[in-house]
Tab-separated table of all heavy atoms in Angstrom:
chain	number	residue	atom	x	y	z
A	1	ASN	N	-8.259	4.752	-0.818
A	1	ASN	CA	-8.123	5.181	-2.206
A	1	ASN	C	-6.914	4.461	-2.791
A	1	ASN	O	-5.894	4.311	-2.098
A	1	ASN	CB	-7.936	6.696	-2.292
A	1	ASN	CG	-8.064	7.205	-3.703
A	1	ASN	OD1	-8.853	6.692	-4.475
A	1	ASN	ND2	-7.280	8.208	-4.042
A	2	TYR	N	-7.041	4.008	-4.036
A	2	TYR	CA	-5.969	3.236	-4.659
A	2	TYR	C	-5.642	3.768	-6.044
A	2	TYR	O	-6.512	4.270	-6.771
A	2	TYR	CB	-6.384	1.763	-4.809
A	2	TYR	CG	-6.629	1.066	-3.490
A	2	TYR	CD1	-7.900	1.004	-2.948
A	2	TYR	CD2	-5.578	0.483	-2.786
A	2	TYR	CE1	-8.136	0.376	-1.730
A	2	TYR	CE2	-5.797	-0.152	-1.566
A	2	TYR	CZ	-7.073	-0.198	-1.045
A	2	TYR	OH	-7.290	-0.813	0.161
A	3	ALA	N	-4.400	3.612	-6.421
A	3	ALA	CA	-4.019	3.877	-7.809
A	3	ALA	C	-4.720	2.844	-8.687
A	3	ALA	O	-4.913	1.694	-8.273
A	3	ALA	CB	-2.513	3.770	-7.968
A	4	ASP	N	-5.077	3.259	-9.874
A	4	ASP	CA	-5.779	2.345	-10.782
A	4	ASP	C	-4.980	1.069	-11.025
A	4	ASP	O	-5.553	-0.012	-11.179
A	4	ASP	CB	-6.054	3.040	-12.119
A	4	ASP	CG	-7.144	4.087	-12.011
A	4	ASP	OD1	-7.912	4.063	-11.024
A	4	ASP	OD2	-7.234	4.935	-12.920
A	5	SER	N	-3.678	1.198	-11.032
A	5	SER	CA	-2.818	0.064	-11.364
A	5	SER	C	-2.823	-1.029	-10.294
A	5	SER	O	-2.402	-2.158	-10.563
A	5	SER	CB	-1.381	0.539	-11.594
A	5	SER	OG	-0.890	1.189	-10.436
A	6	VAL	N	-3.305	-0.713	-9.087
A	6	VAL	CA	-3.280	-1.709	-8.010
A	6	VAL	C	-4.668	-2.058	-7.488
A	6	VAL	O	-4.797	-2.929	-6.618
A	6	VAL	CB	-2.383	-1.264	-6.842
A	6	VAL	CG1	-0.990	-0.880	-7.336
A	6	VAL	CG2	-3.016	-0.118	-6.063
A	7	LYS	N	-5.680	-1.399	-7.989
A	7	LYS	CA	-7.046	-1.667	-7.517
A	7	LYS	C	-7.400	-3.139	-7.691
A	7	LYS	O	-7.138	-3.735	-8.736
A	7	LYS	CB	-8.042	-0.802	-8.285
A	7	LYS	CG	-8.139	0.622	-7.779
A	7	LYS	CD	-9.170	1.419	-8.569
A	7	LYS	CE	-9.223	2.855	-8.092
A	7	LYS	NZ	-10.154	3.676	-8.897
A	8	GLY	N	-7.987	-3.704	-6.646
A	8	GLY	CA	-8.374	-5.105	-6.687
A	8	GLY	C	-7.260	-6.061	-6.311
A	8	GLY	O	-7.500	-7.260	-6.132
A	9	ARG	N	-6.036	-5.546	-6.211
A	9	ARG	CA	-4.895	-6.404	-5.857
A	9	ARG	C	-4.268	-6.019	-4.521
A	9	ARG	O	-3.783	-6.893	-3.801
A	9	ARG	CB	-3.821	-6.338	-6.948
A	9	ARG	CG	-4.307	-6.761	-8.322
A	9	ARG	CD	-3.148	-6.856	-9.312
A	9	ARG	NE	-2.492	-5.564	-9.530
A	9	ARG	CZ	-1.206	-5.329	-9.279
A	9	ARG	NH1	-0.435	-6.288	-8.798
A	9	ARG	NH2	-0.681	-4.133	-9.530
A	10	PHE	N	-4.268	-4.734	-4.212
A	10	PHE	CA	-3.648	-4.240	-2.979
A	10	PHE	C	-4.726	-3.803	-1.989
A	10	PHE	O	-5.774	-3.289	-2.396
A	10	PHE	CB	-2.748	-3.049	-3.268
A	10	PHE	CG	-1.482	-3.371	-4.011
A	10	PHE	CD1	-1.261	-4.606	-4.608
A	10	PHE	CD2	-0.477	-2.398	-4.118
A	10	PHE	CE1	-0.088	-4.887	-5.287
A	10	PHE	CE2	0.701	-2.667	-4.791
A	10	PHE	CZ	0.885	-3.911	-5.384
A	11	THR	N	-4.429	-3.975	-0.717
A	11	THR	CA	-5.333	-3.525	0.340
A	11	THR	C	-4.534	-2.817	1.420
A	11	THR	O	-3.595	-3.384	1.972
A	11	THR	CB	-6.091	-4.702	0.968
A	11	THR	OG1	-6.814	-5.416	-0.045
A	11	THR	CG2	-7.063	-4.201	2.027
A	12	ILE	N	-4.905	-1.579	1.700
A	12	ILE	CA	-4.255	-0.819	2.759
A	12	ILE	C	-5.099	-0.907	4.021
A	12	ILE	O	-6.339	-0.931	3.951
A	12	ILE	CB	-4.044	0.654	2.332
A	12	ILE	CG1	-3.184	1.396	3.365
A	12	ILE	CG2	-5.373	1.364	2.090
A	12	ILE	CD1	-2.760	2.795	2.922
A	13	SER	N	-4.427	-0.970	5.155
A	13	SER	CA	-5.140	-0.995	6.433
A	13	SER	C	-4.292	-0.270	7.467
A	13	SER	O	-3.094	-0.068	7.266
A	13	SER	CB	-5.410	-2.437	6.874
A	13	SER	OG	-4.200	-3.148	7.064
A	14	ARG	N	-4.929	0.116	8.567
A	14	ARG	CA	-4.203	0.780	9.641
A	14	ARG	C	-4.726	0.296	10.977
A	14	ARG	O	-5.902	-0.051	11.109
A	14	ARG	CB	-4.303	2.301	9.539
A	14	ARG	CG	-5.688	2.857	9.722
A	14	ARG	CD	-5.744	4.347	9.367
A	14	ARG	NE	-5.047	5.181	10.350
A	14	ARG	CZ	-4.805	6.485	10.173
A	14	ARG	NH1	-5.181	7.081	9.059
A	14	ARG	NH2	-4.184	7.185	11.096
A	15	ASP	N	-3.844	0.294	11.949
A	15	ASP	CA	-4.209	-0.078	13.319
A	15	ASP	C	-3.684	1.029	14.222
A	15	ASP	O	-2.510	1.046	14.588
A	15	ASP	CB	-3.603	-1.432	13.683
A	15	ASP	CG	-4.061	-1.929	15.040
A	15	ASP	OD1	-4.490	-1.109	15.874
A	15	ASP	OD2	-3.962	-3.140	15.278
A	16	ASN	N	-4.552	1.969	14.564
A	16	ASN	CA	-4.118	3.118	15.373
A	16	ASN	C	-3.660	2.684	16.767
A	16	ASN	O	-2.803	3.323	17.365
A	16	ASN	CB	-5.245	4.135	15.488
A	16	ASN	CG	-5.469	4.895	14.193
A	16	ASN	OD1	-4.650	4.826	13.270
A	16	ASN	ND2	-6.575	5.611	14.108
A	17	ALA	N	-4.209	1.608	17.279
A	17	ALA	CA	-3.808	1.133	18.609
A	17	ALA	C	-2.367	0.637	18.612
A	17	ALA	O	-1.661	0.763	19.624
A	17	ALA	CB	-4.745	0.016	19.062
A	18	LYS	N	-1.943	0.103	17.474
A	18	LYS	CA	-0.573	-0.412	17.365
A	18	LYS	C	0.330	0.519	16.571
A	18	LYS	O	1.507	0.218	16.371
A	18	LYS	CB	-0.586	-1.790	16.712
A	18	LYS	CG	-1.305	-2.857	17.530
A	18	LYS	CD	-1.234	-4.219	16.858
A	18	LYS	CE	-1.932	-5.281	17.707
A	18	LYS	NZ	-1.888	-6.619	17.049
A	19	ASN	N	-0.236	1.637	16.123
A	19	ASN	CA	0.537	2.631	15.357
A	19	ASN	C	1.205	1.995	14.138
A	19	ASN	O	2.395	2.203	13.876
A	19	ASN	CB	1.576	3.318	16.243
A	19	ASN	CG	0.926	4.076	17.372
A	19	ASN	OD1	-0.064	4.777	17.165
A	19	ASN	ND2	1.457	3.927	18.574
A	20	THR	N	0.425	1.225	13.418
A	20	THR	CA	0.949	0.562	12.236
A	20	THR	C	0.015	0.755	11.035
A	20	THR	O	-1.195	0.958	11.202
A	20	THR	CB	1.130	-0.948	12.462
A	20	THR	OG1	-0.121	-1.507	12.887
A	20	THR	CG2	2.186	-1.236	13.501
A	21	VAL	N	0.618	0.694	9.881
A	21	VAL	CA	-0.114	0.736	8.620
A	21	VAL	C	0.414	-0.426	7.773
A	21	VAL	O	1.625	-0.671	7.757
A	21	VAL	CB	0.095	2.067	7.880
A	21	VAL	CG1	-0.744	2.097	6.599
A	21	VAL	CG2	-0.258	3.246	8.766
A	22	HIS	N	-0.492	-1.114	7.123
A	22	HIS	CA	-0.079	-2.264	6.331
A	22	HIS	C	-0.521	-2.107	4.878
A	22	HIS	O	-1.487	-1.395	4.582
A	22	HIS	CB	-0.683	-3.544	6.905
A	22	HIS	CG	-0.236	-3.846	8.291
A	22	HIS	ND1	1.016	-4.340	8.583
A	22	HIS	CD2	-0.868	-3.697	9.482
A	22	HIS	CE1	1.129	-4.494	9.881
A	22	HIS	NE2	0.011	-4.108	10.456
A	23	LEU	N	0.194	-2.815	4.005
A	23	LEU	CA	-0.205	-2.881	2.601
A	23	LEU	C	-0.122	-4.341	2.183
A	23	LEU	O	0.973	-4.896	2.062
A	23	LEU	CB	0.697	-2.020	1.724
A	23	LEU	CG	0.263	-1.928	0.252
A	23	LEU	CD1	-1.066	-1.161	0.145
A	23	LEU	CD2	1.338	-1.240	-0.588
A	24	GLN	N	-1.273	-4.962	2.013
A	24	GLN	CA	-1.339	-6.337	1.524
A	24	GLN	C	-1.325	-6.291	0.006
A	24	GLN	O	-2.190	-5.653	-0.606
A	24	GLN	CB	-2.606	-7.036	2.022
A	24	GLN	CG	-2.775	-8.457	1.513
A	24	GLN	CD	-1.717	-9.398	2.051
A	24	GLN	OE1	-1.394	-9.373	3.223
A	24	GLN	NE2	-1.185	-10.248	1.174
A	25	MET	N	-0.348	-6.963	-0.575
A	25	MET	CA	-0.186	-6.937	-2.023
A	25	MET	C	-0.341	-8.350	-2.566
A	25	MET	O	0.444	-9.239	-2.234
A	25	MET	CB	1.187	-6.370	-2.393
A	25	MET	CG	1.472	-5.019	-1.766
A	25	MET	SD	3.003	-4.269	-2.370
A	25	MET	CE	4.188	-5.474	-1.798
A	26	ASN	N	-1.351	-8.551	-3.379
A	26	ASN	CA	-1.613	-9.843	-3.983
A	26	ASN	C	-1.475	-9.750	-5.499
A	26	ASN	O	-1.474	-8.663	-6.067
A	26	ASN	CB	-3.026	-10.316	-3.628
A	26	ASN	CG	-3.227	-10.502	-2.139
A	26	ASN	OD1	-2.300	-10.858	-1.403
A	26	ASN	ND2	-4.441	-10.256	-1.671
A	27	SER	N	-1.367	-10.902	-6.126
A	27	SER	CA	-1.273	-10.971	-7.597
A	27	SER	C	-0.213	-10.009	-8.119
A	27	SER	O	-0.453	-9.225	-9.043
A	27	SER	CB	-2.638	-10.656	-8.222
A	27	SER	OG	-3.622	-11.555	-7.757
A	28	LEU	N	0.937	-10.059	-7.504
A	28	LEU	CA	1.997	-9.105	-7.853
A	28	LEU	C	2.452	-9.271	-9.292
A	28	LEU	O	2.513	-10.387	-9.835
A	28	LEU	CB	3.169	-9.257	-6.894
A	28	LEU	CG	2.930	-8.623	-5.517
A	28	LEU	CD1	3.887	-9.173	-4.479
A	28	LEU	CD2	3.050	-7.108	-5.607
A	29	LYS	N	2.765	-8.133	-9.889
A	29	LYS	CA	3.218	-8.084	-11.277
A	29	LYS	C	4.644	-7.542	-11.338
A	29	LYS	O	5.109	-6.879	-10.397
A	29	LYS	CB	2.291	-7.172	-12.089
A	29	LYS	CG	0.833	-7.587	-12.078
A	29	LYS	CD	-0.007	-6.589	-12.857
A	29	LYS	CE	-1.473	-6.981	-12.866
A	29	LYS	NZ	-2.309	-6.016	-13.628
A	30	LEU	N	5.302	-7.798	-12.449
A	30	LEU	CA	6.665	-7.301	-12.616
A	30	LEU	C	6.731	-5.800	-12.392
A	30	LEU	O	7.687	-5.281	-11.799
A	30	LEU	CB	7.188	-7.655	-14.011
A	30	LEU	CG	7.332	-9.130	-14.353
A	30	LEU	CD1	7.828	-9.293	-15.778
A	30	LEU	CD2	8.276	-9.812	-13.369
A	31	GLU	N	5.698	-5.095	-12.849
A	31	GLU	CA	5.693	-3.632	-12.761
A	31	GLU	C	5.450	-3.107	-11.350
A	31	GLU	O	5.487	-1.906	-11.127
A	31	GLU	CB	4.671	-3.028	-13.727
A	31	GLU	CG	3.272	-3.611	-13.602
A	31	GLU	CD	3.011	-4.720	-14.620
A	31	GLU	OE1	3.923	-5.539	-14.861
A	31	GLU	OE2	1.883	-4.762	-15.146
A	32	ASP	N	5.221	-4.004	-10.406
A	32	ASP	CA	5.097	-3.586	-9.011
A	32	ASP	C	6.463	-3.459	-8.342
A	32	ASP	O	6.562	-3.009	-7.197
A	32	ASP	CB	4.247	-4.582	-8.219
A	32	ASP	CG	2.799	-4.621	-8.683
A	32	ASP	OD1	2.242	-3.537	-8.963
A	32	ASP	OD2	2.226	-5.723	-8.756
A	33	THR	N	7.504	-3.860	-9.042
A	33	THR	CA	8.857	-3.749	-8.504
A	33	THR	C	9.191	-2.286	-8.229
A	33	THR	O	9.096	-1.439	-9.123
A	33	THR	CB	9.878	-4.341	-9.483
A	33	THR	OG1	9.649	-5.755	-9.601
A	33	THR	CG2	11.303	-4.095	-9.008
A	34	ALA	N	9.558	-2.001	-6.984
A	34	ALA	CA	9.821	-0.623	-6.575
A	34	ALA	C	10.238	-0.614	-5.107
A	34	ALA	O	10.135	-1.632	-4.421
A	34	ALA	CB	8.566	0.237	-6.758
A	35	VAL	N	10.678	0.553	-4.668
A	35	VAL	CA	10.850	0.780	-3.240
A	35	VAL	C	9.551	1.408	-2.732
A	35	VAL	O	9.057	2.373	-3.317
A	35	VAL	CB	12.043	1.704	-2.951
A	35	VAL	CG1	12.180	1.921	-1.437
A	35	VAL	CG2	13.330	1.110	-3.507
A	36	TYR	N	9.014	0.855	-1.669
A	36	TYR	CA	7.733	1.292	-1.125
A	36	TYR	C	7.963	2.084	0.157
A	36	TYR	O	8.753	1.683	1.023
A	36	TYR	CB	6.843	0.088	-0.856
A	36	TYR	CG	6.268	-0.508	-2.119
A	36	TYR	CD1	7.061	-1.207	-3.009
A	36	TYR	CD2	4.913	-0.353	-2.432
A	36	TYR	CE1	6.541	-1.731	-4.179
A	36	TYR	CE2	4.376	-0.883	-3.592
A	36	TYR	CZ	5.191	-1.573	-4.458
A	36	TYR	OH	4.675	-2.087	-5.620
A	37	TYR	N	7.248	3.207	0.246
A	37	TYR	CA	7.397	4.125	1.367
A	37	TYR	C	6.039	4.380	2.027
A	37	TYR	O	5.025	4.516	1.345
A	37	TYR	CB	7.959	5.463	0.902
A	37	TYR	CG	9.276	5.393	0.193
A	37	TYR	CD1	9.338	5.192	-1.182
A	37	TYR	CD2	10.474	5.556	0.896
A	37	TYR	CE1	10.560	5.142	-1.841
A	37	TYR	CE2	11.697	5.507	0.247
A	37	TYR	CZ	11.730	5.300	-1.123
A	37	TYR	OH	12.938	5.254	-1.778
A	38	CYS	N	6.086	4.521	3.330
A	38	CYS	CA	4.898	4.867	4.112
A	38	CYS	C	5.038	6.325	4.537
A	38	CYS	O	6.131	6.763	4.917
A	38	CYS	CB	4.833	3.949	5.324
A	38	CYS	SG	3.589	4.350	6.541
A	39	THR	N	3.943	7.060	4.515
A	39	THR	CA	4.036	8.464	4.882
A	39	THR	C	2.674	9.012	5.272
A	39	THR	O	1.644	8.547	4.787
A	39	THR	CB	4.593	9.303	3.712
A	39	THR	OG1	4.690	10.665	4.117
A	39	THR	CG2	3.683	9.224	2.502
A	40	PRO	N	2.659	10.019	6.162
A	40	PRO	CA	1.412	10.752	6.350
A	40	PRO	C	1.148	11.568	5.084
A	40	PRO	O	2.065	11.910	4.340
A	40	PRO	CB	1.715	11.699	7.524
A	40	PRO	CG	2.960	11.173	8.152
A	40	PRO	CD	3.720	10.499	7.064
A	41	ILE	N	-0.112	11.851	4.856
A	41	ILE	CA	-0.484	12.696	3.720
A	41	ILE	C	-1.308	13.864	4.258
A	41	ILE	O	-2.363	13.629	4.856
A	41	ILE	CB	-1.308	11.921	2.673
A	41	ILE	CG1	-0.474	10.760	2.099
A	41	ILE	CG2	-1.760	12.850	1.550
A	41	ILE	CD1	-1.243	9.854	1.171
A	42	PRO	N	-0.864	15.103	4.103
A	42	PRO	CA	0.352	15.490	3.401
A	42	PRO	C	1.607	15.123	4.185
A	42	PRO	O	1.556	14.991	5.408
A	42	PRO	CB	0.206	17.015	3.284
A	42	PRO	CG	-0.648	17.389	4.450
A	42	PRO	CD	-1.613	16.255	4.610
A	43	ARG	N	2.680	14.924	3.446
A	43	ARG	CA	3.929	14.515	4.082
A	43	ARG	C	4.588	15.705	4.764
A	43	ARG	O	4.799	16.734	4.152
A	43	ARG	CB	4.884	13.929	3.031
A	43	ARG	CG	6.175	13.388	3.610
A	43	ARG	CD	6.973	12.684	2.532
A	43	ARG	NE	7.337	13.586	1.459
A	43	ARG	CZ	8.411	14.347	1.456
A	43	ARG	NH1	9.221	14.329	2.499
A	43	ARG	NH2	8.678	15.129	0.437
C-alpha cells in the first residue's frame, strides 16, 4: 500500500530471511525531502 504522493515512484519490499525491509525511491521530488523511518505496523 502506498501514499498517493509516491505511487508509481516508490517500491517497498521485504526479505524475511534477511530481516530487512527496503524502499526503492525513483523520480525523487523536492517534496520527498524528509527523515524516513521503518516500523512495524502497528508500531
Side-chain angles (χ1 to χ4, degrees):
N1 191 35
Y2 297 93
D4 287 343
S5 59
V6 307
K7 280 181 182 176
R9 301 188 297 120
F10 289 11
T11 303
I12 188 172
S13 61
R14 65 190 289 171
D15 186 338
N16 287 348
K18 296 182 179 179
N19 298 316
T20 55
V21 183
H22 298 285
L23 186 67
Q24 178 66 44
M25 307 187 297
N26 298 328
S27 302
L28 283 161
K29 302 177 180 180
L30 297 179
E31 52 264 40
D32 294 319
T33 295
V35 180
Y36 285 71
Y37 303 88
C38 172
T39 181
I41 298 174
R43 184 173 61 86

